[in-house]
């Protein structure tokens, strides 16, 4: 039976220990757990509050609170295909992007058509709409999912699921209490990656 080389064993153990030490910070910042804990409790408190109307004006303050908004939704016309959005990317009518005047860019939100009860998840990537009382502009794809094509403009509640914060990272909003934990977790990761120090202003 061969005798083990103690120096190789020590080297291997040291390498494993170093690898584990490097992995620990990653694990500590892995997926947020929303099945329980302060983030979900805060989201539930926000979900229990009645929706609020968006402040008037073309450029209301950016709202990082995660509270629900009520108002009207419209959807983009075909003429906006390929145009630059507020985040600098091109508008794709077959995507799930959306426009808001007050939610931070990168916010993931649940939009519910109050006439039909149908909901859809969107990501705020643009600014608008600027007609009075409208709180979100949707793509035709999302509008079809909400069954609002025939109406054009419908009453909605916008419940932010994950909201980028000025200091970095993301906060669970009211919508996080209304979707599966896995959906909220994914939304928080996306929103945290999108958190910008400064946001572009109105495009149209």
């Amino acid at each position: 039976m061969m005798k083990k080389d103690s120096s190789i064993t020590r080297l291997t153990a040291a390498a494993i220990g170093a690898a584990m030490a490097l992995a620990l910070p990653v694990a500590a910042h892995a997926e947020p757990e929303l099945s329980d804990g302060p983030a979900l409790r805060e989201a539930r408190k926000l979900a229990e509050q009645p929706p609020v109307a968006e402040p008037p004006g073309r450029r209301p303050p950016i709202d990082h609170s995660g509270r629900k908004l009520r108002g009207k939704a419209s959807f983009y016309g075909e003429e906006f295909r390929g145009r630059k959005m507020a985040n600098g990317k091109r508008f794709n009518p077959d995507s799930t992007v959306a426009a808001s005047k007050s939610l931070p860019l990168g916010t993931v939100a649940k939009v519910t058509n109050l006439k039909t009860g149908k909901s859809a998840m969107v990501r705020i990537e643009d600014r608008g709409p600027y007609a009075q009382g409208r709180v979100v502009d949707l793509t035709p794809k999302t509008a079809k999912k909400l069954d609002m094509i025939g109406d054009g403009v419908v009453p909605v509640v916008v419940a932010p699921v994950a909201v980028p914060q000025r200091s970095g990272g993301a906060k669970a909003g009211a919508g996080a209490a209304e979707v599966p934990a896995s959906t909220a977790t994914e939304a928080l990761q996306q929103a945290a990656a999108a958190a910008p120090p400064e946001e572009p202003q109105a495009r149209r």
Side-chain angles (χ1 to χ4, degrees):
M1 184 174 180
M2 294 181 65
K3 185 178 179 181
K4 291 182 179 180
D5 189 327
S6 59
S7 63
I8 293 177
T9 303
R10 286 195 299 271
L11 182 61
T12 303
I16 293 172
M20 290 178 67
L22 287 172
L24 284 175
V26 176
H29 293 85
E31 295 183 359
E33 181 54 64
L34 284 183
S35 58
D36 196 5
L40 184 56
R41 287 195 291 272
E42 177 64 20
R44 285 173 179 158
K45 288 181 181 178
L46 288 168
E48 290 170 358
Q49 297 175 10
V52 298
E54 191 175 61
R58 288 180 62 85
R59 296 187 181 184
I62 300 300
D63 185 1
H64 296 265
S65 70
R67 61 188 177 178
K68 291 183 286 189
L69 295 172
R70 60 177 169 79
K72 295 178 181 178
S74 51
F75 59 93
Y76 287 82
E78 179 60 30
E79 67 272 19
F80 288 99
R81 179 187 291 270
R83 290 195 188 182
K84 276 191 177 181
M85 299 183 292
N87 67 353
K89 297 178 182 178
R90 299 286 178 179
F91 175 70
N92 177 3
D94 299 317
S95 70
T96 56
V97 301
S100 167
K101 298 187 295 293
S102 61
L103 291 174
L105 297 181
T107 295
V108 178
K110 174 187 171 187
V111 181
T112 301
N113 181 346
L114 296 179
K115 289 187 65 176
T116 64
K118 294 184 177 181
S119 298
M121 298 287 287
V122 301
R123 182 165 172 164
I124 304 301
E125 301 286 9
D126 202 7
R127 288 294 175 225
Y130 295 109
Q132 186 174 0
R134 297 188 193 179
V135 294
V136 68
D137 221 356
L138 307 169
T139 63
K141 176 181 178 177
T142 302
K144 288 178 183 176
K145 188 171 183 179
L146 294 182
D147 195 18
M148 59 175 283
I149 295 292
D151 293 315
V153 178
V154 297
V156 295
V157 167
V158 180
V161 175
V163 186
Q165 299 295 293
R166 292 188 185 93
S167 57
K171 171 182 178 177
E178 302 176 0
V179 299
S182 58
T183 301
T185 295
E186 183 179 356
L188 280 167
Q189 292 175 331
Q190 293 176 0
E198 296 290 337
E199 293 190 18
Q201 287 301 315
R203 170 186 64 81
R204 58 188 176 90

